[in-house]
Amino acid sequence: MPVTAKPMQGHGIAITWESGFFAWITSVNPATVSRASLETTNSATTTARTFRPEVLHNSGELSVTIQFDASKTIPIDQAAESITITYPMAEGATTAATWTGSGFMTAYNPTAEINGIMTATCTIKWTGAITVNAAS
């Protein structure tokens, strides 16, 4: 299937936490969605093991690198909350694509180099399905 849309840059991507936490983003890995396989091999199986897909998938984790601000309160101790990723506006679109789900922060790793911009990597565990709204 040929690609008809122009490749897009990530500049302008935004993440909104329900709690109001905000940070300047330098990179985002929205999720590694996975679904396990269940082995169905039995004593009557011949030639090779057999499998079927598990019914439920795992929405994985959101990993985001931000510019670290030591004055911000990090939501590491907060309950799961609504998190929305808003992607840059596609050419010709009137609304941007979004991914929304419930998640909670599981890790926050700041880095402060002597001669560089301070950053932090945040890991958020999605608690269920992610709702994808396509750009229009």
Side-chain angles (χ1 to χ4, degrees):
M1 179 171 176
V3 175
T4 57
K6 291 184 178 181
M8 294 180 55
Q9 291 185 327
H11 185 266
I13 195 167
I15 298 179
T16 308
W17 279 263
E18 183 180 9
S19 63
F21 177 72
F22 172 81
W24 295 109
I25 298 164
T26 61
S27 70
V28 176
N29 178 1
T32 300
V33 180
S34 62
R35 182 166 73 163
S37 61
L38 301 174
E39 187 167 356
T40 57
T41 306
N42 59 56
S43 61
T45 305
T46 60
T47 311
R49 293 177 179 269
T50 57
F51 298 86
R52 71 169 180 85
E54 188 175 67
V55 174
L56 303 175
H57 73 271
N58 179 346
S59 294
E61 296 177 331
L62 159 67
S63 177
V64 58
T65 303
I66 61 174
Q67 291 180 344
F68 173 60
D69 182 344
S71 68
K72 301 266 187 207
T73 300
I74 307 308
I76 190 73
D77 295 325
Q78 302 299 315
E81 62 181 300
S82 179
I83 299 170
T84 301
I85 304 170
T86 304
Y87 290 90
M89 188 77 73
E91 187 176 308
T94 56
T95 60
T98 60
W99 285 19
T100 303
S102 176
F104 57 93
M105 191 175 289
T106 60
Y108 183 80
N109 183 19
T111 301
E113 295 183 24
I114 299 293
N115 190 26
I117 302 295
M118 295 189 305
T119 61
T121 301
C122 306
T123 304
I124 290 91
K125 176 63 182 155
W126 293 113
T127 62
I130 300 168
T131 302
V132 176
N133 292 305
S136 60

